[in-house]
Amino acid sequence: MALLSKKDTNLILDPLADNNPITIQVLGICSALAITAELKASIVMALSVLFVLGLGNVVISLMRNIIPSKIRIIVQLVVVAALVIIVDQVLKAFAYELSKTLAVFVGLIITNCIIMGRFEAFALGNGVWRSFLDGIGNAAGYGIILIIVGFFRELLGSGTLLGFPVLGNPIEKTGLYSIGYENNGFMLLSPMALIVVGLLIWVQRSRNKALIEEN
Amino acid sequence: MLEHVELFFKSIFIDNMVFATFLGMCSYLAVSKKVATAVGLGAAVIFVLAVTVPLNWLLDQYLLRDGALAWLGPEYADYNLSFLSFILFIATIATMVQLVEIVVEKFSPALYNSLGIFLPLIAVNCAILGGSLFMQAREIATLGLAFNYGFSSGIGWFLAILAIAAIREKIRYSNVPPPLRGLGITFIITGLMAIGFMSFGGMLTGGDEAPATEPTTAQKSEKEKTTLEKEEQENAVSYNTLVKE
């Protein structure tokens, strides 16, 4: 494809697995864990970060030659904060219930280390189009982990996906519940998010031995 | 006085920033390999939180919240600038961190040497912004309480990073499955510690009295969910009995 050279494709695909922001680079964990009890909240969070990171990378990349390096952190923070305010206001206007569940974690996208990390490491030194792709790729890598964690926590915790019962009805004992299956309410509590991510890291690193760390 | 004590213990143990709300996880994971560096970062977090939370409380009280501008005159009483809080809070934090760095460097070179490298990191630590945002969301009532909240949340964060750093120093001698080494096992240990910290939840309710603690947002939504589920169950039961009849 002429639109995306091989190098550009790698910009998007690398962060999805082998250079994933959450499981490998250890960035942006803060907001990732707290809101993954439901799949819907995880998807909205992933989309918000996609918007902020994609657009923020473009803005920073456009300004990269005029930002004095001494005050670049403040400039970056202002750009992110402005984008996050847009996301927050849009969520409040069109998905009020959801914005209540996400609460302060929308605001915390500002200090999501993935965003500052990509600004510093990529957008300040690269062109607009490549920065955009890099932003989209990293946000997607972040989103994938969020969605996987949200999927398992909602499925095992409340037996639903996006609010639809998929394992049968626990009250009328249909589906899986007819053979004695029970929801594991523990999955909805916040510590389980950490453990699920820990297990994900385990799976990923046993598949790809090159990623194993020294103790 | 009592509310100060209550808020103090509540922010350290029950609403612990790391274990209950996952704030500041990035630096928590990255800087917890050695106890000495963990102590340095922890101290810097306490310091910055204790400065920025009261400052942002003043901003929130006299500039941002609905009707906060009333002190300028009655014609300003209708303004609600709370949509600006993200940008103002983060600007305050970034400038305060710079200011603190300059002041500490000038007046206490020894402290600067131990805190110095961590201060710039802190501007983008989610625990700091999270402290201010939770302060706003929980509607902390007075300046004194806001200071108390910032300071004790900082202590909670300090305790968490100190504990994990000590564990990670020891775990180097254990035989962890290779794919879990480093990050993976740290996540799982943090999860187990968080489960342990959940047991502090009953600390302030003290048996007979009504629960004095306000559940965190996540727990709250869960509670709402369980009550909803209960209602659904009851509805289903009554529906079933109706059908049978």
Side-chain angles (χ1 to χ4, degrees):
Chain A
M1 221 162 52
L3 190 63
L4 294 171
S5 66
K6 191 155 187 333
K7 231 171 149 189
D8 287 350
T9 330
N10 281 347
L11 280 180
I12 294 194
L13 292 185
D14 262 1
L16 289 187
D18 288 347
N19 198 16
N20 189 287
I22 293 188
T23 59
I24 309 296
Q25 302 173 33
V26 208
L27 295 175
I29 319 245
C30 332
S31 52
L33 297 171
I35 42 87
T36 47
E38 287 166 44
L39 187 55
K40 199 172 166 195
S42 321
I43 292 175
V44 170
M45 192 69 183
L47 288 179
S48 314
V49 171
L50 192 75
F51 170 80
V52 173
L53 191 49
L55 223 60
N57 252 0
V58 168
V59 174
I60 293 291
S61 171
L62 282 172
M63 300 198 298
R64 70 184 184 280
N65 294 325
I66 52 169
I67 303 176
S69 72
K70 273 191 179 162
I71 58 159
R72 67 179 191 284
I73 303 252
I74 292 198
V75 174
Q76 289 165 4
L77 282 176
V78 170
V79 170
V80 198
L83 288 169
V84 170
I85 289 176
I86 296 175
V87 170
D88 187 46
Q89 298 292 321
V90 168
L91 278 183
K92 271 189 188 144
F94 295 106
Y96 188 70
E97 284 305 312
L98 209 57
S99 81
K100 279 280 166 220
T101 352
L102 291 176
V104 300
F105 290 97
V106 176
L108 288 173
I109 298 178
I110 299 173
T111 48
N112 191 321
C113 337
I114 294 179
I115 292 177
M116 296 297 283
R118 288 336 285 175
F119 284 3
E120 281 281 303
F122 203 91
L124 277 177
N126 285 284
V128 174
W129 174 238
R130 281 169 58 82
S131 301
F132 177 69
L133 293 180
D134 179 76
I136 296 288
N138 275 285
Y142 168 86
I144 275 190
I145 300 290
L146 241 68
I147 288 169
I148 294 176
V149 177
F151 175 84
F152 282 114
R153 283 183 73 191
E154 189 175 347
L155 184 68
L156 300 178
S158 35
T160 56
L161 283 178
L162 293 172
F164 297 108
V166 287
L167 298 180
N169 190 328
I171 300 149
E172 295 165 5
K173 301 280 179 211
T174 57
L176 259 186
Y177 297 100
S178 61
I179 53 171
Y181 175 81
E182 288 284 340
N183 283 329
N184 181 2
F186 207 50
M187 292 297 284
L188 293 176
L189 298 176
S190 43
M192 285 312 285
L194 285 163
I195 293 179
V196 172
V197 175
L199 295 178
L200 266 181
I201 292 175
W202 193 358
V203 171
Q204 191 189 16
R205 292 188 185 184
S206 32
R207 287 169 58 95
N208 186 349
K209 303 277 183 207
L211 299 174
I212 291 176
E213 288 177 58
E214 286 295 304
N215 218 352
Chain B
M1 190 59 214
L2 194 64
E3 56 183 347
H4 274 277
V5 177
E6 188 180 321
L7 184 70
F8 184 75
F9 285 108
K10 191 177 147 201
S11 346
I12 293 182
F13 292 110
I14 301 172
D15 291 335
N16 186 292
M17 286 210 146
V18 174
F19 297 131
T21 46
F22 304 121
L23 294 179
M25 283 300 280
C26 313
S27 28
Y28 168 85
L29 292 168
V31 197
S32 62
K33 282 191 180 133
K34 279 193 190 137
V35 171
T37 44
V39 168
L41 183 68
V45 165
I46 296 182
F47 194 61
V48 174
L49 264 177
V51 174
T52 55
V53 171
L55 216 62
N56 281 333
W57 184 87
L58 287 176
L59 268 182
D60 183 45
Q61 209 69 13
Y62 294 108
L63 198 61
L64 294 173
R65 65 170 49 196
D66 200 6
L69 286 174
W71 57 274
L72 276 179
E75 67 268 35
Y76 294 100
D78 293 337
Y79 285 92
N80 179 2
L81 296 179
S82 52
F83 65 93
L84 283 177
S85 34
F86 292 161
I87 211 162
L88 269 183
F89 284 178
I90 197 71
T92 319
I93 289 167
T95 30
M96 273 319 295
V97 169
Q98 293 266 298
L99 210 68
V100 164
E101 198 179 348
I102 295 168
V103 169
V104 171
E105 188 181 10
K106 179 99 181 146
F107 291 104
S108 169
L111 186 64
Y112 180 75
N113 283 335
S114 55
L115 291 188
I117 23 168
F118 299 116
L119 280 173
L121 263 180
I122 279 181
V124 287
N125 186 331
C126 4
I128 310 293
L129 182 64
S132 292
L133 289 177
F134 271 122
M135 174 272 299
Q136 192 187 30
R138 287 177 190 165
E139 296 177 350
I140 302 265
T142 65
L143 185 61
L145 280 174
F147 171 77
N148 184 340
Y149 179 69
F151 183 67
S152 46
S153 306
I155 293 183
W157 201 89
F158 177 87
L159 281 182
I161 197 170
L162 190 63
I164 195 75
I167 293 178
R168 283 182 85 173
E169 277 198 356
K170 292 292 173 213
I171 216 163
R172 221 169 288 156
Y173 307 110
S174 326
N175 190 11
V176 180
L180 268 181
R181 274 183 196 154
L183 192 58
I185 196 73
T186 314
F187 265 107
I188 292 179
I189 293 173
T190 312
L192 294 177
M193 283 162 77
I195 293 173
F197 263 67
M198 278 168 59
S199 59
F200 285 117
M203 193 168 75
L204 286 182
T205 54
D208 294 334
E209 291 168 44
T213 55
E214 191 196 341
T216 58
T217 42
Q219 287 166 337
K220 214 187 256 171
S221 59
E222 270 153 31
K223 236 180 224 168
E224 279 166 14
K225 211 185 271 165
T226 46
T227 48
L228 269 181
E229 274 171 8
K230 256 182 211 156
E231 273 170 27
E232 273 172 15
Q233 269 173 358
E234 281 163 12
N235 286 344
V237 168
S238 56
Y239 177 68
N240 283 348
T241 49
L242 268 182
V243 169
K244 268 174 202 161
E245 280 165 18

